[in-house]
Amino acid sequence: MAAMLLTGHGGTDQLVYKTDVPVPELGPGEVLVKVTATAKNNTDRKAREGLYPTKDKGEVTSFQMGGSATLTFPRIQGADIAGHVVAVGEGVSEARIGQRGLLDFNLYADQRRDINLTPDYYGHGADGGFAEYVALPSDQFYEVQNPELADAELAAMGMCSYQTALHMLRVAGVQAGERVLVTGASGGVGTALIQLCRIIGAIPYALSQQDKAEALLKLGAEAVLDRNKMDDFTGQIKQLTGNKPIDAVMDLVGGEMTDLFIDSMIFDMKARTTYPRLSIAGASGGNLSEIMWTRIYLYQVQIFGVSHGTREEAEQLIDWIRGGQLKPVLHATFKLSELHQAEDYFVQRGSNYLGKIVIVPDSEWETHGKPFSLN
């Protein structure tokens, strides 16, 4: 089969396209999926470049929450897989053959449904979807019929973004009617957060470039704060909320902005009815933030680190997708053989960028990729 192999840490030159990779063999409880579309995530780039330091800020390392590195080379990346079952392993009903589905991307350490303490994922600790075929657990490849959704659109609603977003809201205990600041609002997790806030009845305020404001408002944002005017960030918040503080921040940016996000929640503590809450699931603006701890404990700011989610959350998201409550935000498709260009495009992101980039095998391009390409 054709596949893009990650051969080591580094630049896009470490991605090698091959057409003679063996089709994976099935184990018990698995299904063989013919891949039609796989969404690209920022974690693909960060894992490739080794940008997951947890001890030394200069460390080059992959995701290794289980205590040791599971990213070995060569590896096929790609977590958010949509495709069709073409074969089944021992113990799996043949009725699954032909089903279209979407993967819950997690490599779970156990069968617990409510917690996921050592997150790892397909495309990192096991081969993923940047290939023509992939072997996956039958119970994590959920059938999604929904004929109104193209396969590329289904992949754009993959769990890497949506499950992370849902977990951010849930650990912070966000409730209906609460004001939620969504940073990095134009990306995959950000657009997922806006939709999920509306589903649960929370009010999302998006932080983004103003040229994306119209699209974010259409998606469900209550208002869009201008990321280029951070010198009076609290002033922007007051103007948009009627002088009411943000209840919870869903932060994908980090860096020097973290302190400003805390400001948005604590400028009027008497107006609050709940503790200020900060969920963090990214650091696109920088991996180090300088914060006075007195601000954290005196204002009782609750901080939640979020990496992936749980089986329960995956099942809830699949229900919402099947029911049509969640809508895809698909920016563009690229051929698998052009993954290098897709990676460069993702990093450079023009002003019109919103949502997800999806990678489609060359053999599936005419049907599943071309209708959504940039060309």
Side-chain angles (χ1 to χ4, degrees):
M1 68 176 183
M4 187 68 76
L5 302 180
L6 177 63
T7 58
H9 287 305
T12 56
D13 60 305
Q14 296 292 335
L15 294 168
V16 179
Y17 185 66
K18 291 193 173 185
T19 58
D20 59 352
V21 178
V23 174
E25 296 182 2
L26 285 178
E30 292 185 331
V31 292
L32 183 67
V33 172
K34 183 179 184 181
V35 178
T36 52
T38 301
K40 210 202 83 59
N41 293 289
N42 199 33
T43 189
D44 300 321
R45 177 189 65 85
K46 294 183 73 173
R48 169 172 52 79
E49 295 181 2
L51 300 180
Y52 284 116
T54 55
K55 295 182 180 179
D56 183 334
K57 62 184 179 182
E59 179 185 18
V60 176
T61 184
S62 67
F63 208 83
Q64 44 185 307
M65 298 304 294
S68 61
T70 60
L71 176 59
T72 57
F73 305 111
R75 171 67 75 220
I76 299 172
Q77 293 186 289
D80 287 332
I81 302 167
H84 301 254
V85 177
V86 294
V88 297
E90 180 183 344
V92 181
S93 169
E94 291 189 358
R96 295 224 56 185
I97 294 176
Q99 290 182 357
R100 182 181 75 157
L102 180 66
L103 175 69
D104 171 4
F105 76 124
N106 288 282
L107 290 169
Y108 294 108
D110 52 45
Q111 290 297 313
R112 289 192 63 174
R113 299 179 66 253
D114 62 334
I115 198 168
N116 183 8
L117 292 175
T118 56
D120 200 353
Y121 57 97
Y122 283 90
H124 183 274
D127 284 340
F130 292 159
E132 291 182 305
Y133 295 92
V134 62
L136 302 170
S138 175
D139 64 350
Q140 287 180 229
F141 191 70
Y142 292 91
E143 182 182 15
V144 181
Q145 296 180 356
N146 297 56
E148 75 281 3
L149 289 176
D151 287 31
E153 292 176 314
L154 181 59
M157 293 191 288
M159 297 293 162
C160 193
S161 292
Y162 280 81
Q163 193 190 53
T164 299
L166 181 57
H167 198 57
M168 292 177 78
L169 293 166
R170 285 195 166 179
V171 296
V174 173
Q175 301 294 317
E178 290 195 306
R179 295 172 294 278
V180 178
L181 174 63
V182 177
T183 76
S186 64
V189 180
T191 53
L193 278 163
I194 291 170
Q195 292 190 67
L196 291 168
C197 279
R198 290 304 186 186
I199 286 177
I200 66 176
I203 307 167
Y205 291 84
L207 176 64
S208 186
Q209 307 289 347
Q210 285 302 291
D211 53 14
K212 300 174 184 178
E214 183 179 352
L216 291 171
L217 291 169
K218 185 177 180 181
L219 189 63
E222 184 76 6
V224 180
L225 294 100
D226 191 345
R227 187 169 176 176
N228 293 322
K229 295 181 179 179
M230 300 299 290
D231 53 330
D232 186 23
F233 185 64
T234 301
Q236 283 195 71
I237 294 289
K238 290 179 178 179
Q239 183 178 7
L240 293 174
T241 65
N243 292 315
K244 297 176 182 177
I246 292 294
D247 292 301
V249 175
M250 303 293 110
D251 186 18
L252 307 165
V253 176
E256 63 183 16
M257 292 190 186
T258 304
D259 222 26
L260 297 177
F261 300 152
I262 293 173
D263 284 343
S264 75
M265 296 189 288
I266 66 173
F267 63 78
D268 186 358
M269 292 299 291
K270 291 182 180 179
R272 299 193 61 91
T273 57
T274 58
Y275 293 118
R277 286 148 286 153
L278 176 67
S279 280
I280 302 171
S284 62
N287 200 32
L288 298 176
S289 301
E290 184 175 343
I291 304 171
M292 295 175 64
W293 283 112
T294 46
R295 283 164 55 79
I296 302 301
Y297 68 77
L298 291 178
Y299 288 99
Q300 302 185 81
V301 178
Q302 299 180 337
I303 300 177
F304 304 92
V306 173
S307 179
H308 303 189
T310 67
R311 293 179 187 270
E312 286 180 344
E313 289 159 347
E315 291 166 1
Q316 175 63 83
L317 288 165
I318 291 295
D319 285 345
W320 282 333
I321 292 171
R322 289 169 175 166
Q325 289 102 314
L326 290 173
K327 306 298 182 183
V329 187
L330 172 59
H331 177 70
T333 52
F334 285 80
K335 290 181 180 179
L336 177 60
S337 63
E338 298 173 350
L339 183 58
H340 303 82
Q341 293 95 308
E343 288 280 6
D344 291 338
Y345 182 88
F346 180 82
V347 171
Q348 295 164 6
R349 303 189 210 198
S351 60
N352 67 334
Y353 186 94
L354 188 78
K356 302 291 289 187
I357 287 174
V358 170
I359 308 302
V360 175
D362 294 39
S363 58
E364 302 290 332
W365 179 252
E366 289 297 318
T367 300
H368 299 291
K370 190 174 181 179
F372 305 99
S373 69
L374 292 171
N375 301 322

